[in-house]
Amino acid sequence: MVIAAEQRLTIDAVRVTADLAAAAYCNLVEVALATASENDAGASTALVLHAWSFVDQLYAVRKLLERLGEVASGPRVTAFLDVSSEAAHLRNRTDHLHSKISNISAKKDAERSLFGCVSYCLDPELAGHSGHDALLVSHQIEPVRPGEAFSRGRTPGDDLRLPCGNFFISADGRVLDLDSCVTMLSALIRRMNETVEAQTAELIERLSLEHGVPKEKLRQSYGTGMRTEMLFRRPTAAEAEFINQLQTDGTGSQS
């Protein structure tokens, strides 16, 4: 709690948005594995939903990092910003989709998808195929009409991640490598933790000397995440009958 409120809230926001991005990526993997051998339209919807949620959280992390100064600086931050750069374009596209449809419909090339394509690699055994090293799977929730094409899939390089990985989302001619974003974001968060801990230790040392406050009190922190439960007792049959009678009478009297 010794950290200034504005910086503390910004750091908290980075952590939460990073956690949400990681959750969205885990959801992508879970849906892909659960529907590996099915041609399920619901799976396409879920995959597109989680992929765009991932884009939203990446965009939020990028904007929050601008407020952190030296806490969020260095090669890991630069690497993350580089690999996630397309997230800004994709997020802007969805935010203004209603005003972009005219331009999208007038495009000369065949790629006119609104929500893009989610692609990934899959262990063929999971999908009931044999004799293949890996499958490249693409999902799109929009119809593909004659003369049109869905957005680009991306074939991985040497880094093939099985049983399921190499997630990409493509739209408007842009491609975002979700796996690389997760890897770089993880390294960034670890580095931020180290930096914040070091700066906080120095701050505690200084404030303790200046104000004579024990370091233990300055080190107090609060855990993250909370679940609240409220227990409500169901009325007994006699109580329910009595309440119903009052409502029927309309008097509200307990006589």
Side-chain angles (χ1 to χ4, degrees):
M1 296 301 294
V2 301
I3 303 175
E6 182 175 339
Q7 187 180 49
R8 174 168 52 82
L9 289 171
T10 306
I11 293 171
D12 286 344
V14 171
R15 180 193 64 80
V16 171
T17 51
D19 282 349
L20 293 175
Y25 181 86
C26 290
N27 287 336
L28 282 170
V29 175
E30 289 179 3
V31 173
L33 291 176
T35 58
S37 58
E38 303 174 17
N39 184 15
D40 185 356
S44 296
T45 300
L47 286 162
V48 172
L49 168 67
H50 297 316
W52 282 107
S53 176
F54 184 88
V55 171
D56 286 343
Q57 302 310 321
L58 279 189
Y59 177 83
V61 172
R62 289 173 57 88
K63 299 301 290 185
L64 289 164
L65 290 176
E66 297 175 3
R67 302 182 58 90
L68 285 178
E70 62 180 14
V71 174
S73 61
R76 297 188 190 185
V77 176
T78 301
F80 168 73
L81 293 176
D82 287 345
V83 78
S84 65
S85 61
E86 296 293 4
H89 176 86
L90 293 175
R91 168 62 185 273
N92 180 66
R93 185 176 189 265
T94 54
D95 276 356
H96 302 281
L97 188 61
H98 64 285
S99 63
K100 293 180 177 292
I101 289 181
S102 296
N103 291 335
I104 295 172
S105 64
K107 290 178 65 174
K108 298 301 183 182
D109 59 25
E111 184 184 326
R112 293 197 288 203
S113 169
L114 295 176
F115 296 95
C117 171
V118 178
S119 62
Y120 55 91
C121 287
L122 186 70
D123 184 340
E125 295 296 330
L126 294 172
H129 298 275
S130 59
H132 303 282
D133 293 330
L135 297 176
L136 175 62
V137 185
S138 297
H139 285 264
Q140 179 174 309
I141 60 176
E142 299 168 62
V144 181
R145 299 172 180 82
E148 294 182 350
F150 58 84
S151 300
R152 299 173 179 85
R154 173 71 67 87
T155 55
D158 296 332
D159 185 20
L160 187 63
R161 302 188 177 190
L162 296 177
C164 185
N166 302 102
F167 283 87
F168 294 90
I169 181 170
S170 63
D172 200 27
R174 308 295 185 98
V175 181
L176 180 67
D177 181 343
L178 277 61
D179 287 40
S180 294
C181 288
V182 168
T183 301
M184 296 301 179
L185 182 57
S186 176
L188 165 63
I189 294 297
R190 287 198 301 270
R191 178 56 182 164
M192 279 185 57
N193 284 341
E194 296 167 0
T195 303
V196 171
E197 287 177 6
Q199 292 183 353
T200 304
E202 294 177 1
L203 183 59
I204 288 173
E205 185 74 25
R206 179 172 59 82
L207 292 176
S208 178
L209 291 173
E210 289 179 359
H211 302 283
V213 179
K215 295 179 183 179
E216 291 72 21
K217 289 188 176 181
L218 296 176
R219 288 196 185 100
Q220 288 180 352
S221 60
Y222 298 87
T224 59
M226 181 179 69
R227 170 175 170 165
T228 302
E229 294 183 356
M230 298 181 66
L231 179 62
F232 295 92
R233 183 177 65 83
R234 291 189 178 90
T236 65
E239 290 171 338
E241 183 179 356
F242 179 69
I243 293 170
N244 183 61
Q245 183 179 355
L246 291 177
Q247 292 174 340
T248 302
D249 293 344
T251 62
S253 170
Q254 298 186 12
S255 60

